[in-house]
Amino acid sequence: MNSKLTDRANRVSATGNNARFFTETIEVETLSPLAFFEAGHSHYGKDRFFWQNADKTVKLVGLGQAAVLTADDNRFASISLQWKALCDGLIKEEKDMDPVLFGGFSFDPQTRQDDEWIAFPAAYFTVPLFQMKIEKGKTYVSINYLTEEPQAAADFEALRHERDRLIHLAQVEEFTLTAKASVVKQTELETDRYMKAVKRVTSQIKEQIAEKVVIARKIKLTFDEEFQKAAALHAISNEQSASYHFGLQIGQEMFFGATPERLVEISNGQAYSACVAGSIKRGKTAQEDQQLGEVLLRDKKNREEHQYVVDMITAVFSEFCTSLQVNKTPKLLKVRDIQHLFTPVEGKLAEDMDIFRLVEALHPTPALGGVPRNKALEIIREEEQMDRGFYAGPIGWTDAAGNGEFAVAIRSGLLTGKDAYLYAGGGIVADSTPTEEYAETWVKFRPVLRALGGRLHE
């Protein structure tokens, strides 16, 4: 390919005021998202993303970078403004799909940066050079190209040849998943600190300094060789089929997971969210599972924890939407290892609001931060002593038409070299105990542990 189409510095500089944003879409025969993801390994192996929503009606893969948007200060508004500036220069035919911007925000930019998160800024988004989207049963592949050059025809023709090569690779070449790398070491990190933090936070809640605070911890897996990124995505998708599946690769690192929790979706001006908080394990039989679900629905601690989230998300939607629908009582959301209390929220988005405004207002929900929000964040910074990175942060996409969806990045891990870091936490309230909270984190570690071949804690 023309070298300037693969030179990262040139692509990023094309986000200036004079940039023109070209996109072109073709419909293709059925294409495996993971096969397309892996087709980009040799040329775009450091710049890829993967997304699949919970009901599998939208699947996205991005290869390469047409543009990269990052931000530290005022990060939600900054990404929103940068994206709008790009879209102002968009040139497309009516038949072409809207370009997608994919990425995420760290949980808290004020926490210190642990070494494993060096590649991930406070906000990171990318417009892929090659974009695959499966929607309503049809598969589309788009080229996204930003340039300040007056003549772009030759460059775009080169991109068409490259697009065709990638499609051919994904359709014809045998897509093989390598055997899982073997775990040679599994390490709990700072467990004593976590147990002491839970105890101290419980005391603060009893003293009414806060009502609820989420405390998380991490474990580390070390493999005999680097874990194949596509294999990790394939495994986590199989482990948690009814979840949002995501993978964001920056250089050699990939943050990935399977989360049950939608933060917000916007579709044709309608906004949707999901209140997910309060949890209990799955039963070994259908009868036991039902009994555990009924216990969860009646449990005072979990119902209070859930109501914090319902109240907060309802308040945000009341501010940003012109109409609102909220169920009065929660339902059960069951995934493989755990069942949660779940309440959907829906509203008509007011004019001049975008998805980033909602994401900023919703993050972090009480399910990942606490109540009250700012005090809970102060306590987390003081007591947790861990950089969550993108764990528990918003991850997802938006398009040039304003549609999009963000999930809360839990049940997740970071692949870096021959290591993987896994993260899990739980809501601490007045009657929490360190032993019970510790046990709950192991339930939440399970999906990624199983996907990567780690040792389950029974």
Side-chain angles (χ1 to χ4, degrees), residues 186-448:
Q186 182 167 314
T187 311
E188 292 194 53
L189 301 171
E190 305 287 354
T191 304
D192 288 344
R193 186 177 71 195
Y194 166 80
M195 301 292 272
K196 290 174 183 175
V198 172
K199 187 175 181 180
R200 285 194 296 267
V201 170
T202 303
S203 297
Q204 291 184 64
I205 291 169
K206 287 177 179 176
E207 293 169 7
Q208 299 184 337
I209 294 171
E211 296 176 54
K212 172 191 172 183
V213 179
V214 177
I215 296 296
R217 68 186 188 98
K218 64 182 176 181
I219 59 177
K220 180 181 178 182
L221 304 182
T222 301
F223 306 99
D224 60 348
E225 60 183 353
E226 190 168 330
F227 209 103
Q228 184 190 21
K229 306 297 190 294
L233 291 170
H234 179 263
I236 196 69
S237 298
N238 285 343
E239 288 293 340
Q240 300 285 311
S241 61
S243 294
Y244 293 85
H245 304 122
F246 61 88
L248 175 61
Q249 188 170 356
I250 305 176
Q252 297 301 322
E253 285 74 45
M254 184 177 78
F255 179 58
F256 77 107
T259 175
E261 188 168 348
R262 171 206 279 158
L263 185 63
V264 62
E265 177 188 4
I266 294 177
S267 178
N268 298 318
Q270 197 76 3
Y272 307 86
S273 189
C275 309
V276 180
S279 58
I280 200 167
K281 66 181 181 179
R282 298 297 304 269
K284 291 188 170 124
T285 65
Q287 184 178 7
E288 184 189 4
D289 200 58
Q290 182 181 356
Q291 290 170 346
L292 286 167
E294 289 170 356
V295 168
L296 178 60
L297 286 166
R298 293 192 303 267
D299 184 74
K300 181 175 180 289
K301 171 185 177 291
N302 281 288
R303 285 295 291 265
E304 286 179 354
E305 186 178 338
H306 184 75
Q307 195 60 41
Y308 287 137
V309 182
V310 174
D311 291 345
M312 180 266 196
I313 291 179
T314 300
V316 169
F317 267 55
S318 297
E319 180 183 352
F320 288 89
C321 297
T322 57
S323 62
L324 188 63
Q325 291 177 284
V326 187
N327 286 10
K328 291 182 178 179
T329 57
K331 311 181 213 178
L332 291 174
L333 174 65
K334 297 174 184 264
V335 291
R336 180 171 177 180
D337 295 295
I338 197 166
Q339 43 191 324
H340 296 281
L341 296 176
F342 163 72
T343 299
V345 180
E346 179 179 345
K348 179 69 176 174
L349 195 65
E351 295 292 331
D352 301 323
M353 296 294 174
D354 72 358
I355 200 165
F356 295 108
R357 292 281 302 277
L358 271 173
V359 169
E360 179 177 21
L362 291 168
H363 174 74
T365 70
L368 281 307
V371 180
R373 178 192 287 181
N374 290 337
K375 189 61 187 178
L377 285 172
E378 286 178 19
I379 295 172
I380 290 169
R381 291 167 192 147
E382 180 183 348
E383 298 291 349
E384 201 173 78
Q385 292 292 299
M386 179 184 78
D387 181 6
R388 295 188 184 185
F390 273 39
Y391 161 70
I395 190 164
W397 63 276
T398 187
D399 65 19
N403 300 308
E405 187 164 24
F406 277 78
V408 180
I410 53 176
R411 312 294 185 270
S412 55
L414 178 70
L415 286 173
T416 172
K418 293 183 180 181
D419 297 324
Y421 294 87
L422 282 57
Y423 303 83
I428 312 304
V429 292
D431 58 353
S432 294
T433 67
T435 303
E436 289 176 349
E437 294 301 328
Y438 174 80
E440 184 178 322
T441 61
W442 278 113
V443 175
K444 293 172 178 177
F445 278 132
R446 279 183 184 175
V448 185

Side-chain angles (χ1 to χ4, degrees), residues 32-134:
S32 159
L34 279 177
F36 191 70
F37 181 88
E38 194 59 12
H41 177 264
S42 61
H43 286 58
Y44 312 100
K46 295 181 179 181
D47 305 300
R48 295 182 289 178
F49 69 74
F50 176 91
W51 170 271
Q52 181 172 269
N53 66 356
D55 59 10
K56 299 180 176 60
T57 55
V58 175
K59 302 177 184 182
L60 293 167
V61 176
L63 304 178
Q65 296 172 328
V68 176
L69 311 183
T70 63
D72 291 310
D73 298 327
N74 202 18
R75 55 190 183 148
F76 299 96
S78 177
I79 295 297
S80 177
L81 288 171
Q82 291 180 63
W83 177 232
K84 285 175 182 173
L86 282 185
C87 292
D88 284 345
L90 180 61
I91 299 168
K92 66 185 280 288
E93 301 289 338
E94 189 175 341
K95 64 179 178 59
D96 295 321
M97 299 290 288
D98 284 299
V100 162
L101 180 73
F102 183 90
F105 299 91
S106 66
F107 177 80
D108 179 9
Q110 292 189 39
T111 54
R112 74 186 193 287
Q113 191 162 60
D114 290 340
D115 289 345
E116 66 264 28
W117 289 108
I118 291 296
F120 288 74
Y124 178 94
F125 286 82
T126 178
V127 180
L129 199 57
F130 301 100
Q131 167 187 312
M132 174 188 169
K133 186 174 187 181
I134 298 178

Side-chain angles (χ1 to χ4, degrees), residues 141-155:
V141 177
S142 301
I143 299 167
N144 300 315
Y145 180 44
L146 280 112
T147 182
E148 294 177 339
E149 300 296 327
Q151 299 297 324
D155 290 344

